[in-house]
Amino acid sequence: MRGEMEERARQGPIPDNTTISEKLSNDRLSGRSAFPNFDAEFAKALKRFYFGMNGVKGKLNHLKEIRPLDEYNIRSLQYFVDERIELIKEFGGDLEGCVGKMKSDVEKIIQKKKEIHLALSAK
């Protein structure tokens, strides 16, 4: 198994302009498995998601810790509220970005899997 993985790494990726059936026939000729490791692709997507979420979690903790400088000064409170609003907007954007990337990664993996199953069922 390890030798097979090393051989794949030496051969490099198959160009994206080849069709699924060409990739499958190339895999059969080279002795590689016709099915990519979808679990590994899901694991990579989850890893990217969790790294992104760690950044979002840090921003959330920062939001929790911010306190106004002078609770009795109206201008100070207004500045605090304005700053808090901007930080919440950034937080929301980062959170949406993490979830959007995860959704996109999973959609790509599912699409690849469907294409392979369609190519195999067509034969």
Side-chain angles (χ1 to χ4, degrees):
M1 182 76 174
R2 183 180 172 142
E4 179 182 328
M5 290 172 60
E6 290 171 354
E7 180 63 29
R8 278 189 199 174
R10 272 188 249 126
Q11 290 176 352
I14 297 173
D16 284 341
N17 60 355
T18 59
T19 65
I20 294 293
S21 57
E22 288 173 336
K23 288 179 183 179
L24 291 173
S25 64
N26 288 341
D27 285 344
R28 286 191 189 111
L29 292 173
S30 67
R32 293 191 284 186
S33 170
F35 299 100
N37 188 350
F38 292 111
D39 290 340
E41 291 183 39
F42 276 117
K44 288 177 187 175
L46 281 172
K47 184 177 179 181
R48 283 190 296 272
F49 175 73
Y50 283 119
F51 280 134
M53 287 304 294
N54 281 335
V56 170
K57 183 179 174 184
K59 284 190 176 186
L60 179 61
N61 288 334
H62 178 68
L63 277 170
K64 289 179 186 177
E65 294 170 359
I66 296 175
R67 300 282 179 245
L69 298 174
D70 183 7
E71 295 177 9
Y72 301 107
N73 184 341
I74 297 292
R75 285 189 180 140
S76 175
L77 286 175
Q78 184 60 47
Y79 176 76
F80 171 75
V81 169
D82 292 343
E83 183 183 36
R84 180 66 67 98
I85 289 170
E86 286 302 312
L87 289 172
I88 289 171
K89 286 179 184 177
E90 286 179 25
F91 171 78
D94 290 347
L95 185 60
E96 286 179 21
C98 287
V99 172
K101 286 177 189 173
M102 178 65 167
K103 183 179 176 183
S104 174
D105 288 345
V106 170
E107 285 175 351
K108 287 177 187 176
I109 293 167
I110 290 171
Q111 185 62 34
K112 278 189 215 176
K113 193 171 185 178
K114 284 181 181 177
E115 288 175 0
I116 288 175
H117 285 296
L118 285 174
L120 289 177
S121 65
K123 287 188 177 189

